[in-house]
């Protein structure tokens, strides 16, 4: 079952490190659906941004935990997020 590219790509990651990577290494950092495969991410980026993708690197990052009633946990709004590092081709 193929997904809509906009269901896979959630939002760009805009930090100093990601902006520097974009300028120096032509690398795009995007937050994506956690269950998406590298092949699905590659196809979604190629459709949305109309570029050729060289490689896809993924990292699963956990958001900050919160302390709620003396128990450590994650509220509904803070879920694990997948961040994707994509280098576009020349």
């Amino acid at each position: 079952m193929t997904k809509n590219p906009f269901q896979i790509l959630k939002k760009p990651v805009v930090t100093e490190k990601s902006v520097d990577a974009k300028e120096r290494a032509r690398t795009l950092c995007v937050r994506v659906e956690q269950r998406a495969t590298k092949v699905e991410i590659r196809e979604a980026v190629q459709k949305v941004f109309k570029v050729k993708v060289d490689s896809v690197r993924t990292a699963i990052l956990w958001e900050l935990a919160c302390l709620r009633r003396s128990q450590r946990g994650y509220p509904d709004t803070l879920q694990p997020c997948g961040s994707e590092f994509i280098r576009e081709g020349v």
Side-chain angles (χ1 to χ4, degrees):
M1 179 171 129
T2 56
K3 298 177 186 175
N4 182 1
F6 295 103
Q7 290 176 335
I8 295 172
L9 304 176
K10 291 186 178 179
K11 62 182 180 179
V13 177
V14 183
T15 60
E16 287 184 33
K17 189 174 183 178
S18 68
V19 171
D20 186 49
K22 181 181 174 188
E23 292 171 355
R24 291 178 188 260
R26 297 180 61 191
T27 302
L28 180 64
C29 300
V30 221
R31 197 166 275 193
V32 300
E33 179 185 341
Q34 188 173 4
R35 292 187 178 96
T37 63
K38 289 185 177 187
V39 175
E40 291 174 336
I41 296 165
R42 177 187 306 260
E43 291 172 358
V45 169
Q46 288 178 350
K47 285 181 186 176
V48 171
F49 296 108
K50 295 180 178 67
V51 295
K52 180 180 176 283
V53 177
D54 271 354
S55 64
V56 177
R57 295 180 289 158
T58 61
I60 297 176
L61 305 173
W62 287 87
E63 298 287 344
L64 294 174
C66 70
L67 187 63
R68 196 187 280 174
R69 287 185 230 124
S70 302
Q71 294 179 356
R72 190 178 179 110
Y74 297 92
D76 296 335
T77 57
L78 296 178
Q79 292 295 324
C81 64
S83 290
E84 302 310 317
F85 305 97
I86 302 160
R87 171 174 264 161
E88 56 182 69
V90 179

